[in-house]
Amino acid sequence: MKIFQLKTYTETDYRENTKVLPNLNKKARFLFNYMEAYMNYCEKCYNLCEDSVCEFCGNKKLRTVSADDYCFLIETEQTNGEMICDIFEQEGIKHTVIPTGNGVRSNFGLSLENYEIYVQYKSLDLAKEIVNSFAEQAVSVYKNELLDNFEKWF
């Protein structure tokens, strides 16, 4: 169940929220009313939910998310996770990392192979943009490599 609140932007809000309303002209931004969805937060798995029950773990004890809550962003392999975390540090995004894996590597004294990355809710949108641009760059590198070597394969 979605809960909405009507909010009106003022001139001071405009300066802080230009990313929220990028396609409207300046005058329209001052007068623009929008519906802001309040998300529920699961303290058990750190995911955001729109319903009253967590769709990931089934927890029914959800609360409204606050700006300082850490939310699950992505699980990725260790090398990509380290690069993403370096970008977050450069951008000043508070984050935390939990190593995950099947445990076989820890028997050999090695670190686990994956990272779960969590960021604060107030930085979640920016973090998603960074991860998406990071993924697009990786895809373009692989695509160019495939196109360069296409003739060798056929």
Side-chain angles (χ1 to χ4, degrees):
M1 181 172 135
K2 294 182 183 177
I3 301 171
F4 293 96
Q5 178 185 15
L6 187 63
K7 184 174 180 181
T8 304
Y9 277 108
T10 63
E11 186 171 346
T12 54
D13 290 333
Y14 165 74
R15 290 186 195 96
E16 299 172 296
N17 297 301
T18 54
K19 291 181 182 178
V20 175
L21 307 168
N23 297 327
L24 298 176
N25 64 33
K26 187 175 180 180
K27 186 176 180 181
R29 287 183 187 149
F30 296 143
L31 304 172
F32 187 77
N33 292 330
Y34 81 104
M35 303 298 275
E36 184 178 43
Y38 281 93
M39 301 293 290
N40 290 323
Y41 179 72
C42 178
E43 292 181 331
K44 186 175 178 182
C45 66
Y46 309 105
N47 279 300
L48 298 174
C49 308
E50 293 180 355
D51 297 327
S52 59
V53 177
C54 179
E55 56 198 47
F56 300 99
C57 68
N59 186 12
K60 294 180 182 178
K61 297 179 182 178
L62 304 179
R63 63 173 175 80
T64 304
V65 66
S66 68
D68 294 331
D69 288 333
Y70 280 87
C71 302
F72 176 75
L73 177 66
I74 190 172
E75 181 174 357
T76 185
E77 64 182 22
Q78 182 181 7
T79 53
N80 289 337
E82 289 172 353
M83 288 188 275
I84 290 170
C85 289
D86 288 342
I87 295 170
F88 286 169
E89 288 172 8
Q90 291 172 1
E91 295 292 325
I93 297 174
K94 291 186 179 180
H95 63 282
T96 187
V97 176
I98 299 175
T100 61
N102 60 14
V104 173
R105 293 174 52 104
S106 59
N107 285 338
F108 298 109
L110 302 171
S111 62
L112 295 174
E113 61 267 14
N114 293 334
Y115 279 171
E116 285 183 357
I117 302 175
Y118 298 84
V119 296
Q120 287 185 329
Y121 178 69
K122 63 185 173 187
S123 304
L124 186 61
D125 291 333
L126 178 60
K128 284 180 181 180
E129 289 177 20
I130 290 170
V131 169
N132 287 337
S133 66
F134 182 79
E136 288 173 6
Q137 290 173 359
V139 168
S140 67
V141 167
Y142 292 133
K143 181 180 176 182
N144 291 337
E145 187 175 323
L146 286 171
L147 292 174
D148 291 343
N149 294 314
F150 180 77
E151 296 169 355
K152 296 177 185 176
W153 295 339
F154 297 104

